Amino acid sequence: MSLQSFGFFGFLLVVAAVYLHLPQRWQSAFLLAASWVFYALAMPSMLPVTIAIAVFTYLCGRGMTAREGARKTAFLRIGVVGLLAILAFFKYNGVVRVGRRLAGRRHAAGHQLLQLCGDLLLN
């Protein structure tokens, strides 16, 4: 479901109507569930990753609110580094695979792409 489709517009209207009629206590949980449904409709195989990222972020936030000083900063750093590591994995995993495939065919461009990917990952 793309953001420019009538299906998304209908989904948005239903979510907004339900959200406005829920008690304030349940609104955040409903929006989280609605976003998971939206992502599941787009790519069901990535739903566990999306849920895991949400749980990781929530736990880091809870750790920050329960601590003071250096321990609070530690949870912030763990959260930022963890989310950046997940982003880097999904962003560069496909690039490295394509670079290796091209380099395996002994293409000059593929070899250069593989070197570029290695430079990006190591620097």
Side-chain angles (χ1 to χ4, degrees):
M1 174 180 350
S2 78
L3 296 176
Q4 295 87 13
S5 69
F6 287 114
F8 173 73
F9 184 68
F11 179 77
L12 182 64
L13 287 177
V14 169
V15 168
V18 172
Y19 173 82
L20 292 173
H21 287 91
L22 283 175
Q24 189 174 10
R25 178 178 179 192
W26 295 102
Q27 288 177 343
S28 296
F30 174 73
L31 285 181
L32 181 63
S35 69
W36 286 347
V37 168
F38 177 74
Y39 287 122
L41 291 173
M43 186 178 281
S45 63
M46 293 304 289
L47 184 62
V49 175
T50 306
I51 292 172
I53 289 170
V55 169
F56 174 73
T57 306
Y58 174 78
L59 292 175
C60 287
R62 293 287 293 191
M64 286 175 53
T65 57
R67 310 289 189 298
E68 290 293 327
R71 290 190 175 164
K72 182 181 263 192
T73 306
F75 273 96
L76 175 65
R77 288 181 181 157
I78 290 169
V80 169
V81 169
L83 292 175
L84 286 175
I86 293 167
L87 174 67
F89 174 77
F90 282 104
K91 181 172 180 159
Y92 295 115
N93 190 28
V95 173
V96 172
R97 214 175 313 137
V98 169
R100 286 183 184 156
R101 193 174 336 131
L102 289 175
R105 295 181 187 162
R106 301 201 185 270
H107 290 283
H111 184 66
Q112 290 172 351
L113 179 62
L114 183 61
Q115 285 179 337
L116 175 66
C117 291
D119 291 342
L120 287 173
L121 292 174
L122 295 175
N123 292 330

